[in-house]
Coordinates of all heavy atoms in Angstrom, one line a residue:
M238 N -2.0 15.5 -0.4 CA -0.8 15.0 -1.1 C -1.2 13.9 -2.1 O -1.9 13.0 -1.7 CB 0.1 14.4 0.0 CG 1.4 13.7 -0.6 SD 2.4 12.8 0.6 CE 2.9 14.2 1.8
P239 N -0.7 14.0 -3.3 CA -1.0 12.9 -4.3 C -0.5 11.6 -3.8 O 0.6 11.5 -3.2 CB -0.3 13.3 -5.6 CG -0.1 14.8 -5.4 CD 0.1 15.0 -3.9
T240 N -1.3 10.5 -3.9 CA -0.9 9.2 -3.4 C 0.4 8.8 -4.0 O 1.2 8.1 -3.3 CB -1.9 8.2 -3.6 OG1 -2.3 8.1 -5.0 CG2 -3.2 8.5 -2.8
A241 N 0.7 9.2 -5.2 CA 2.0 8.7 -5.9 C 3.2 9.3 -5.2 O 4.3 8.8 -5.4 CB 2.0 9.1 -7.3
E242 N 3.0 10.3 -4.4 CA 4.2 10.9 -3.7 C 4.4 10.4 -2.3 O 5.4 10.8 -1.6 CB 4.0 12.4 -3.6 CG 4.0 13.1 -5.0 CD 3.8 14.6 -4.9 OE1 3.9 15.2 -3.8 OE2 3.7 15.2 -6.0
I243 N 3.5 9.5 -1.9 CA 3.7 9.0 -0.5 C 4.7 7.8 -0.6 O 4.6 6.9 -1.4 CB 2.3 8.4 0.0 CG1 1.3 9.6 0.1 CG2 2.5 7.8 1.4 CD1 -0.1 9.1 0.3
G244 N 5.7 7.9 0.3 CA 6.7 6.9 0.3 C 6.1 5.6 0.9 O 5.5 5.6 1.9
L245 N 6.4 4.5 0.3 CA 5.9 3.2 0.8 C 7.0 2.3 1.1 O 8.1 2.4 0.6 CB 5.0 2.5 -0.3 CG 3.7 3.3 -0.7 CD1 3.0 2.5 -1.8 CD2 2.8 3.4 0.5
P246 N 6.8 1.2 1.9 CA 7.8 0.2 2.1 C 8.1 -0.5 0.8 O 7.3 -0.5 -0.1 CB 7.1 -0.7 3.1 CG 6.0 0.0 3.7 CD 5.5 1.0 2.7
D247 N 9.3 -1.1 0.8 CA 9.7 -1.9 -0.4 C 8.8 -3.1 -0.5 O 8.7 -3.9 0.5 CB 11.1 -2.3 -0.2 CG 11.7 -3.1 -1.4 OD1 10.9 -3.5 -2.2 OD2 12.9 -3.3 -1.4
P248 N 8.1 -3.2 -1.6 CA 7.1 -4.4 -1.7 C 7.8 -5.7 -1.6 O 7.1 -6.7 -1.2 CB 6.5 -4.2 -3.1 CG 7.4 -3.2 -3.8 CD 8.0 -2.4 -2.8
A249 N 9.1 -5.8 -1.9 CA 9.8 -7.1 -1.8 C 9.8 -7.5 -0.3 O 10.0 -8.7 0.0 CB 11.2 -6.9 -2.3
L250 N 9.7 -6.6 0.6 CA 9.7 -6.9 2.0 C 8.4 -7.2 2.7 O 8.3 -7.5 3.8 CB 10.4 -5.8 2.8 CG 11.8 -5.4 2.3 CD1 12.3 -4.2 3.1 CD2 12.8 -6.5 2.4
L251 N 7.3 -7.0 1.8 CA 6.0 -7.2 2.4 C 5.4 -8.5 2.1 O 5.8 -9.2 1.2 CB 5.1 -6.1 1.7 CG 5.5 -4.6 2.0 CD1 4.5 -3.7 1.3 CD2 5.5 -4.3 3.5
S252 N 4.3 -8.9 2.8 CA 3.7 -10.2 2.6 C 2.8 -10.1 1.4 O 2.5 -9.0 0.9 CB 2.8 -10.5 3.8 OG 1.7 -9.6 3.8
G253 N 2.4 -11.3 0.9 CA 1.5 -11.3 -0.3 C 0.2 -10.6 0.0 O -0.3 -9.9 -0.9
A254 N -0.3 -10.7 1.2 CA -1.6 -10.0 1.5 C -1.4 -8.5 1.4 O -2.2 -7.8 1.0 CB -2.0 -10.4 2.9
Q255 N -0.2 -8.0 1.9 CA 0.0 -6.6 1.8 C 0.2 -6.1 0.4 O -0.2 -5.0 0.0 CB 1.3 -6.2 2.6 CG 1.1 -6.3 4.1 CD 2.3 -6.1 4.9 OE1 3.3 -6.9 4.7 NE2 2.4 -5.1 5.7
Q256 N 0.9 -6.9 -0.4 CA 1.0 -6.6 -1.8 C -0.3 -6.6 -2.6 O -0.5 -5.8 -3.5 CB 2.0 -7.6 -2.5 CG 3.4 -7.4 -2.0 CD 4.4 -8.5 -2.6 OE1 4.1 -9.1 -3.6 NE2 5.5 -8.7 -2.0
R257 N -1.2 -7.4 -2.2 CA -2.5 -7.5 -2.9 C -3.5 -6.4 -2.3 O -4.6 -6.2 -2.9 CB -3.2 -8.8 -2.7 CG -2.5 -9.9 -3.5 CD -3.4 -11.2 -3.5 NE -3.7 -11.7 -2.2 CZ -2.8 -12.5 -1.5 NH1 -1.7 -12.9 -2.0 NH2 -3.2 -12.9 -0.3
G258 N -3.1 -5.7 -1.3 CA -3.9 -4.7 -0.7 C -5.0 -5.1 0.2 O -5.9 -4.4 0.5
T259 N -4.9 -6.4 0.7 CA -5.9 -6.8 1.7 C -5.4 -6.6 3.1 O -6.2 -6.7 4.0 CB -6.1 -8.4 1.5 OG1 -4.9 -9.1 1.7 CG2 -6.7 -8.6 0.1
H260 N -4.1 -6.2 3.3 CA -3.6 -5.9 4.6 C -2.9 -4.5 4.4 O -2.3 -4.3 3.4 CB -2.7 -6.9 5.1 CG -3.4 -8.2 5.6 ND1 -4.1 -9.0 4.8 CD2 -3.5 -8.7 6.9 CE1 -4.6 -10.0 5.5 NE2 -4.3 -9.8 6.7
C261 N -2.9 -3.8 5.5 CA -2.2 -2.5 5.5 C -0.7 -2.6 5.2 O -0.1 -3.5 5.7 CB -2.4 -1.8 6.9 SG -1.5 -0.3 7.1
V262 N -0.2 -1.7 4.3 CA 1.2 -1.9 3.9 C 2.1 -1.5 5.1 O 3.3 -1.9 5.1 CB 1.6 -1.0 2.7 CG1 0.9 -1.5 1.5 CG2 1.2 0.5 3.0
W263 N 1.7 -0.7 6.1 CA 2.5 -0.3 7.2 C 2.4 -1.2 8.4 O 3.4 -1.6 9.0 CB 2.3 1.2 7.5 CG 2.9 2.1 6.5 CD1 4.2 2.2 6.2 CD2 2.2 3.0 5.6 NE1 4.4 3.2 5.2 CE2 3.2 3.6 4.8 CE3 0.9 3.3 5.4 CZ2 2.8 4.6 3.9 CZ3 0.5 4.2 4.4 CH2 1.5 4.8 3.7
C264 N 1.1 -1.4 8.9 CA 1.0 -2.1 10.1 C 0.4 -3.6 10.0 O 0.3 -4.2 11.0 CB 0.1 -1.3 11.1 SG -1.6 -1.3 10.6
S265 N 0.1 -4.0 8.7 CA -0.3 -5.4 8.4 C -1.7 -5.7 8.9 O -2.0 -6.9 8.9 CB 0.7 -6.4 9.0 OG 2.0 -6.2 8.5
V266 N -2.4 -4.8 9.4 CA -3.8 -5.1 9.9 C -4.6 -5.5 8.7 O -4.4 -5.0 7.6 CB -4.4 -3.9 10.6 CG1 -4.8 -2.7 9.7 CG2 -5.6 -4.3 11.4
A267 N -5.6 -6.4 8.9 CA -6.5 -6.8 7.8 C -7.4 -5.6 7.5 O -7.9 -5.0 8.4 CB -7.3 -8.0 8.2
L268 N -7.6 -5.3 6.2 CA -8.4 -4.1 5.8 C -9.8 -4.5 5.5 O -10.1 -5.6 5.0 CB -7.7 -3.5 4.6 CG -6.3 -2.9 4.9 CD1 -5.7 -2.5 3.5 CD2 -6.4 -1.8 5.8
V269 N -10.7 -3.6 5.9 CA -12.1 -3.8 5.6 C -12.5 -2.8 4.5 O -12.1 -1.6 4.6 CB -13.0 -3.5 6.9 CG1 -14.4 -3.7 6.5 CG2 -12.5 -4.4 8.0
N270 N -13.1 -3.3 3.5 CA -13.6 -2.4 2.4 C -14.4 -1.3 3.0 O -15.3 -1.5 3.8 CB -14.3 -3.1 1.3 CG -13.4 -3.9 0.4 OD1 -12.2 -3.6 0.3 ND2 -13.9 -5.0 -0.2
G271 N -14.2 -0.1 2.6 CA -14.9 1.1 3.1 C -14.1 1.9 4.0 O -14.2 3.1 4.0
T272 N -13.2 1.3 4.8 CA -12.3 2.1 5.6 C -10.9 2.1 5.0 O -10.1 3.0 5.4 CB -12.2 1.6 7.0 OG1 -11.7 0.2 7.0 CG2 -13.6 1.6 7.7
A273 N -10.5 1.2 4.2 CA -9.2 1.1 3.6 C -8.9 2.3 2.7 O -9.8 2.7 2.0 CB -9.0 -0.2 2.9
R274 N -7.7 2.8 2.7 CA -7.3 3.9 1.8 C -6.5 3.3 0.7 O -5.5 2.6 0.9 CB -6.4 4.9 2.6 CG -7.2 5.7 3.5 CD -8.0 6.7 2.7 NE -8.7 7.7 3.6 CZ -9.1 8.9 3.2 NH1 -8.8 9.3 1.9 NH2 -9.6 9.7 4.0
D275 N -7.0 3.6 -0.5 CA -6.3 3.1 -1.7 C -5.1 4.0 -2.0 O -5.3 5.2 -2.1 CB -7.3 3.1 -2.9 CG -6.9 2.2 -4.0 OD1 -5.6 2.0 -4.2 OD2 -7.7 1.8 -4.8
L276 N -4.0 3.5 -2.1 CA -2.8 4.3 -2.4 C -2.4 4.4 -3.8 O -1.4 5.0 -4.2 CB -1.6 3.8 -1.5 CG -1.8 3.9 0.0 CD1 -0.8 3.1 0.7 CD2 -1.9 5.3 0.5
G277 N -3.2 3.8 -4.7 CA -2.9 3.8 -6.1 C -2.0 2.7 -6.6 O -1.1 2.3 -5.8
P278 N -2.1 2.3 -7.8 CA -1.2 1.3 -8.3 C 0.2 1.8 -8.4 O 0.5 2.9 -8.7 CB -1.7 1.0 -9.7 CG -2.5 2.2 -10.1 CD -3.1 2.8 -8.8
R279 N 1.2 0.9 -8.0 CA 2.6 1.3 -8.1 C 3.3 0.3 -8.9 O 3.1 -0.9 -8.8 CB 3.2 1.3 -6.6 CG 2.5 2.2 -5.7 CD 2.7 3.6 -6.0 NE 2.1 4.5 -5.0 CZ 2.9 5.1 -4.1 NH1 4.2 5.0 -4.1 NH2 2.3 5.9 -3.2
P280 N 4.3 0.8 -9.7 CA 5.1 -0.2 -10.4 C 6.1 -0.9 -9.5 O 6.6 -0.4 -8.5 CB 5.9 0.7 -11.4 CG 5.9 2.1 -10.7 CD 4.7 2.2 -9.9
V281 N 6.3 -2.2 -9.8 CA 7.3 -2.9 -9.1 C 8.1 -3.7 -10.1 O 7.6 -4.2 -11.1 CB 6.6 -3.9 -8.1 CG1 5.7 -4.9 -8.8 CG2 7.6 -4.6 -7.2
D282 N 9.4 -3.8 -9.8 CA 10.3 -4.5 -10.7 C 10.4 -5.9 -10.3 O 11.1 -6.2 -9.3 CB 11.7 -3.8 -10.7 CG 12.6 -4.4 -11.7 OD1 12.2 -5.0 -12.7 OD2 13.9 -4.4 -11.5
A283 N 9.7 -6.8 -10.9 CA 9.7 -8.2 -10.6 C 10.5 -9.0 -11.6 O 10.0 -9.3 -12.6 CB 8.2 -8.7 -10.5
H284 N 11.7 -9.3 -11.2 CA 12.6 -10.1 -12.0 C 12.7 -9.5 -13.4 O 12.7 -10.3 -14.4 CB 12.1 -11.6 -12.1 CG 11.9 -12.1 -10.7 ND1 12.9 -12.4 -9.8 CD2 10.7 -12.5 -10.1 CE1 12.4 -12.8 -8.7 NE2 11.1 -12.9 -8.8
G285 N 12.9 -8.2 -13.5 CA 13.1 -7.6 -14.8 C 11.9 -7.3 -15.6 O 11.9 -6.6 -16.6
T286 N 10.7 -7.8 -15.2 CA 9.5 -7.4 -15.9 C 8.7 -6.4 -15.0 O 8.7 -6.5 -13.8 CB 8.6 -8.7 -16.1 OG1 8.3 -9.2 -14.8 CG2 9.3 -9.7 -17.0
S287 N 8.1 -5.4 -15.6 CA 7.4 -4.4 -14.9 C 6.0 -5.0 -14.6 O 5.3 -5.5 -15.4 CB 7.3 -3.1 -15.6 OG 6.7 -3.3 -16.9
A288 N 5.6 -4.7 -13.4 CA 4.3 -5.1 -12.9 C 3.7 -4.1 -12.0 O 4.5 -3.1 -11.6 CB 4.3 -6.5 -12.2
L289 N 2.5 -4.2 -11.6 CA 1.9 -3.2 -10.7 C 1.5 -4.0 -9.4 O 1.1 -5.1 -9.4 CB 0.7 -2.6 -11.3 CG 0.9 -1.6 -12.4 CD1 -0.4 -1.1 -13.0 CD2 1.8 -0.4 -12.0
W290 N 1.6 -3.3 -8.3 CA 1.0 -3.7 -7.1 C 0.0 -2.7 -6.6 O 0.1 -1.5 -7.0 CB 2.0 -4.2 -6.0 CG 2.9 -3.1 -5.5 CD1 3.7 -2.3 -6.1 CD2 3.0 -2.8 -4.1 NE1 4.4 -1.4 -5.2 CE2 4.0 -1.7 -4.0 CE3 2.5 -3.2 -2.9 CZ2 4.3 -1.1 -2.8 CZ3 2.8 -2.7 -1.7 CH2 3.8 -1.6 -1.6
F291 N -0.8 -3.1 -5.7 CA -1.9 -2.2 -5.3 C -2.0 -2.0 -3.8 O -2.8 -2.6 -3.1 CB -3.3 -2.8 -5.8 CG -3.3 -2.9 -7.3 CD1 -2.8 -4.1 -7.9 CD2 -3.7 -1.9 -8.2 CE1 -2.8 -4.2 -9.3 CE2 -3.6 -2.0 -9.5 CZ -3.2 -3.2 -10.1
P292 N -1.1 -1.1 -3.3 CA -1.0 -1.0 -1.9 C -2.3 -0.2 -1.3 O -2.8 0.7 -1.9 CB 0.2 -0.1 -1.7 CG 0.3 0.7 -3.0 CD -0.2 -0.3 -4.0
R293 N -2.7 -0.7 -0.1 CA -3.7 0.0 0.6 C -3.3 0.1 2.1 O -2.4 -0.6 2.5 CB -5.1 -0.7 0.5 CG -5.6 -0.8 -0.9 CD -7.1 -1.0 -1.0 NE -7.4 -2.3 -0.3 CZ -8.7 -2.6 -0.1 NH1 -9.7 -1.8 -0.4 NH2 -9.0 -3.7 0.6
C294 N -3.9 1.0 2.8 CA -3.6 1.1 4.2 C -4.8 1.4 5.0 O -5.9 1.7 4.5 CB -2.5 2.2 4.4 SG -3.1 3.9 4.2
C295 N -4.6 1.3 6.3 CA -5.7 1.5 7.3 C -5.9 3.0 7.6 O -4.9 3.7 7.3 CB -5.5 0.7 8.5 SG -4.1 1.3 9.5
P296 N -7.0 3.4 8.1 CA -7.2 4.8 8.4 C -6.2 5.4 9.3 O -5.8 6.6 9.2 CB -8.6 4.9 8.9 CG -9.3 3.6 8.5 CD -8.2 2.6 8.4
I297 N -5.7 4.6 10.3 CA -4.8 5.1 11.3 C -3.4 5.4 10.6 O -2.9 6.5 10.8 CB -4.6 4.0 12.4 CG1 -5.9 3.9 13.1 CG2 -3.5 4.5 13.4 CD1 -6.0 2.7 14.0
C298 N -2.9 4.5 9.8 CA -1.7 4.8 9.1 C -1.8 5.9 8.1 O -0.9 6.7 7.8 CB -1.2 3.5 8.4 SG -0.6 2.3 9.6
W299 N -3.0 6.0 7.5 CA -3.2 7.1 6.5 C -3.0 8.4 7.2 O -2.4 9.3 6.6 CB -4.7 7.0 6.0 CG -5.0 8.2 5.1 CD1 -5.8 9.2 5.4 CD2 -4.6 8.4 3.7 NE1 -5.9 10.1 4.3 CE2 -5.1 9.6 3.3 CE3 -3.7 7.7 2.9 CZ2 -4.9 10.1 2.0 CZ3 -3.5 8.2 1.6 CH2 -4.1 9.4 1.2
K300 N -3.5 8.5 8.4 CA -3.3 9.8 9.2 C -1.8 10.1 9.4 O -1.4 11.2 9.3 CB -4.0 9.7 10.5 CG -5.5 9.9 10.5 CD -6.0 10.2 11.9 CE -7.5 10.6 11.8 NZ -8.4 9.6 11.4
G301 N -1.0 9.0 9.6 CA 0.4 9.3 9.8 C 1.2 9.5 8.6 O 2.2 10.2 8.6
H302 N 0.8 8.9 7.5 CA 1.6 8.9 6.3 C 1.0 9.7 5.1 O 1.8 10.2 4.3 CB 1.8 7.4 5.8 CG 2.6 6.6 6.7 ND1 4.0 6.5 6.6 CD2 2.3 5.8 7.8 CE1 4.4 5.7 7.6 NE2 3.4 5.2 8.3
G303 N -0.3 9.7 5.0 CA -0.9 10.3 3.8 C -1.3 11.7 3.9 O -1.7 12.3 2.9
Q304 N -1.2 12.3 5.1 CA -1.7 13.7 5.2 C -0.6 14.6 5.7 O 0.4 14.2 6.2 CB -2.8 13.8 6.2 CG -4.0 13.0 5.7 CD -5.2 13.0 6.7 OE1 -5.0 13.5 7.9 NE2 -6.4 12.6 6.3
Ligands
ZN1582 ZN1 -2.0 0.5 9.2

């Protein structure tokens, strides 16, 4: 499945660490480079200006959401 088609939580509801991709977007676990799954940059509407955020997830959540 293309990562752009995977439904993600609303970034407004996530922590800064989750928005930066250092913690899993679904379970909040701290991510280790090498095992984290990059979900691709996503647009976010931040106060009327378009920006990107960079969600990543852990391998366990990838199995549940990404495949
Ligand atoms: Zn996770």
Side-chain angles (χ1 to χ4, degrees):
M238 178 188 295
T240 56
E242 295 180 9
I243 300 171
L245 296 177
D247 185 345
L250 303 177
L251 299 178
S252 71
Q255 286 172 302
Q256 292 177 18
R257 287 192 303 275
T259 59
H260 286 65
C261 174
V262 292
W263 285 295
C264 72
S265 301
V266 73
L268 296 171
V269 180
N270 283 333
T272 61
R274 285 288 187 157
D275 200 334
L276 297 169
R279 301 295 185 102
V281 60
D282 185 27
H284 309 292
T286 60
S287 61
L289 291 176
W290 66 301
F291 300 90
R293 297 201 303 168
C294 71
C295 69
I297 296 166
C298 289
W299 174 256
K300 281 194 170 69
H302 294 268
Q304 296 179 348

